[in-house]
Amino acid sequence: MAAMTVAQMVEMFLKPGAPVRIEAFDGSTYGPDNAPVTLQIKNSRAIYYMVNAPSELGLARAYLQGDIDSPQMIPGNPYALFGKLVDLKPYLRTPNAAQLMRALAAVASHGIHRPAPPAIEGPSRARRISEGLLPHSKNGDEATVSYHYDQSNEFYSLFLGPSMTYTCAVFDSPLTSLETAQKAKIDLVLDKLALQPGERLLDIGCGWGSMVIEAAKRGIKALGVTLSEEQVEWAQRWIKEEGLEDLAEVRLMDYRDVPEGDFDGICSIGMMEHVGHTHYPSYFKEIYDKLKPGAKLLNHQITRCNSHQGKKAGQFIDRYIFPDGELSSPAEIEMVIQDTGFEVINQENLRQHYALTLHRWNENLVAHWDEAVKLVGEPKARLWGLYMAGCAYNFEMNNIQVHQFLCIKPNDEGTDTYPLRPWWPNH
């Protein structure tokens, strides 16, 4: 920039000795040649992105467009680089007002620009509301779920694998294959619910149908509902290929519109992240009313590790991954479940298992990188690599967790006759 180089700007935000090298488009550099990580700022658009959105959103825009890169970057699995960037946190500092004004003046000397965000970026929360898509309303949920899932079944299959299961797997060891671990997770859920052949299961937010398929193979009458047309198309074809039409069904339907009741079991696997914490009471009441007395609910969701953390996701997650997504602590969730009338008979934290799951997904994306880029374009492929690697890191650091709550709807005789350990004794 005219009166200040990019390296000089960077120096304002980093304390001396920061373990990073910056190589900028204007020829300036910051940091030693032997730094553990090198970041390349390839053009002025990266600067304008960060000036217009001086947060994770600006950085994400520049990265997704390829304006910021690194020779150490593996875009399908940037986990190692992510960790090195986290190591920079102790070196961050806030410039004083005079320094900031000087940097902004240097940028402004080249003109005032607001570069368009990447084409894959979704609208802001305020814009969604202005368009009538209120958070966690039926219309809002339909739009946000469609944004996340109606991408490309083929793209998802590249990293999810044949199980098409987009939730935490359960591993016997780090050497367990993803497919084996996903089957173990589904079996764990079904074993906890302890449903018998001929009994009825409702799967809320059923994804591509893996739970419905496995339940039907046990002779359980399984109904799955989702708001994603792409998922319904895949699931219905899968059910037909398995010859399970008499036992399995998947509908394009909001769970609130399911007309049936008196289910013997309900599972909600990775769906609560879309519900919103203020809607938890109505959500669990809807489930409670759809169950027979003595029937079970298995609720599986990503959680905050404590109730002091904020509920809403940051701008990056809200714009690119889970619009209106919210997380709560396990204590807050269990309190609502109990207040609804359920008895929680088991709670389990699968945090480490989700970290392993995400590593497997990243590895699959790397293995199919060229095909992924061809299907959805490099910005979206980069997005998913970044998102999954970042999630793996946060699960490993215990910044987020994932919990299963096994609940029972009491009947007039109580629940004392319920089997004490209906699932895997060795788990």
Side-chain angles (χ1 to χ4, degrees):
M1 298 293 177
M4 180 179 283
T5 67
V6 173
Q8 288 172 328
M9 293 182 189
V10 170
E11 193 171 5
M12 293 192 311
F13 291 88
L14 291 174
K15 299 174 185 176
V20 64
R21 179 171 174 81
I22 307 293
E23 298 175 351
F25 62 92
D26 64 354
S28 64
T29 61
Y30 169 92
D33 292 340
N34 63 350
V37 61
T38 297
L39 296 179
Q40 300 164 331
I41 303 176
K42 294 189 168 183
N43 53 49
S44 61
R45 183 171 63 177
I47 304 298
Y48 284 110
Y49 272 142
M50 289 184 281
V51 168
N52 283 287
S55 64
E56 62 180 19
L57 184 60
L59 283 169
R61 287 169 172 171
Y63 170 70
L64 297 179
Q65 296 287 64
D67 300 339
I68 293 179
D69 215 330
S70 170
Q72 290 94 21
M73 172 66 69
I74 302 173
N77 187 11
Y79 175 84
L81 183 62
F82 191 89
K84 290 185 174 72
L85 294 177
V86 171
D87 291 340
L88 291 177
K89 279 189 173 182
Y91 295 90
L92 296 177
R93 62 182 175 186
T94 302
N96 60 42
Q99 290 173 318
L100 282 175
M101 290 302 296
R102 182 187 169 201
L104 289 173
V107 174
S109 70
H110 294 268
I112 305 299
H113 300 289
R114 293 183 63 87
I120 61 172
E121 182 174 307
S124 68
R125 184 185 300 265
R127 180 179 163 189
R128 296 195 299 268
I129 292 173
S130 72
E131 294 174 352
L133 300 176
L134 300 179
H136 313 300
S137 64
K138 287 185 178 181
N139 287 340
D141 285 347
E142 182 178 356
T144 56
V145 168
S146 178
Y147 171 80
H148 185 75
Y149 294 106
D150 287 337
Q151 307 288 336
S152 163
N153 285 335
E154 290 73 22
F155 172 65
Y156 278 106
S157 71
L158 294 180
F159 61 89
L160 295 182
S163 73
M164 290 298 281
T165 305
Y166 183 42
T167 52
C168 170
V170 173
F171 293 80
D172 286 335
S173 83
L175 300 179
T176 304
S177 71
L178 177 62
E179 290 310 300
T180 299
Q182 288 292 15
K183 176 65 163 56
K185 186 276 301 297
I186 293 172
D187 284 341
L188 177 64
V189 170
L190 292 174
D191 288 348
K192 283 182 175 182
L193 288 170
L195 297 177
Q196 301 303 308
E199 292 188 319
R200 298 167 59 241
L201 170 69
L202 173 63
D203 183 5
I204 297 175
C206 65
W208 289 270
S210 57
M211 182 68 69
V212 170
I213 292 287
E214 289 300 324
K217 287 180 178 179
R218 294 186 178 205
I220 299 164
K221 295 180 180 179
L223 168 63
V225 293
T226 173
L227 296 175
S228 166
E229 294 183 10
E230 294 267 351
Q231 290 180 336
V232 170
E233 179 184 344
W234 181 285
Q236 289 178 343
R237 183 173 63 249
W238 192 2
I239 289 168
K240 186 174 182 179
E241 289 171 354
E242 295 283 349
L244 296 169
E245 297 96 323
D246 290 343
L247 290 170
E249 179 185 1
V250 169
R251 298 175 190 165
L252 183 68
M253 180 177 286
D254 190 293
Y255 71 93
R256 289 161 285 198
D257 295 330
V258 173
E260 295 93 338
D262 287 336
F263 287 97
D264 300 288
I266 292 177
C267 61
S268 174
I269 314 297
M271 190 276 188
M272 282 289 290
E273 297 86 343
H274 299 283
V275 170
H277 75 284
T278 60
H279 295 261
Y280 287 178
S282 60
Y283 180 78
F284 286 113
K285 179 64 164 57
E286 187 79 30
I287 293 174
Y288 189 90
D289 291 344
K290 282 180 164 52
L291 284 169
K292 292 179 179 178
K296 285 84 63 182
L297 160 68
L298 192 288
N299 181 60
H300 170 124
Q301 70 183 97
I302 299 173
T303 57
R304 300 288 192 192
C305 64
N306 62 64
S307 58
H308 300 298
Q309 296 170 300
K311 302 291 188 295
K312 292 182 172 60
Q315 285 185 310
F316 167 68
I317 295 295
D318 188 68
R319 297 282 188 98
Y320 286 97
I321 303 294
F322 286 117
D324 296 329
E326 295 181 7
L327 303 179
S328 296
S329 72
E332 293 170 308
I333 297 161
E334 183 165 343
M335 181 175 66
V336 178
I337 293 173
Q338 299 273 21
D339 288 348
T340 304
F342 285 106
E343 177 186 1
V344 177
I345 56 178
N346 176 264
Q347 184 203 114
E348 185 171 12
N349 184 1
L350 300 173
R351 176 181 63 81
Q352 298 95 328
H353 295 271
Y354 216 151
L356 279 172
T357 305
L358 286 152
H359 284 310
R360 294 288 193 277
W361 290 344
N362 273 125
E363 291 164 7
N364 286 344
L365 184 56
V366 170
H368 298 94
W369 180 253
D370 291 342
E371 191 175 354
V373 171
K374 185 177 180 180
L375 280 171
V376 298
E378 185 164 352
K380 181 159 287 186
R382 277 179 168 247
L383 168 65
W384 280 90
L386 176 66
Y387 165 64
M388 293 189 296
C391 283
Y393 180 87
N394 279 293
F395 276 114
E396 288 179 344
M397 294 297 104
N398 196 30
N399 295 325
I400 50 176
Q401 302 173 340
V402 59
H403 280 79
Q404 286 189 354
F405 301 86
L406 180 61
C407 321
I408 189 166
K409 178 178 179 177
N411 56 30
D412 293 339
E413 291 76 36
T415 57
D416 292 342
T417 58
Y418 186 76
L420 296 180
R421 294 284 293 179
W423 58 92
W424 294 352
N426 295 324
H427 178 69

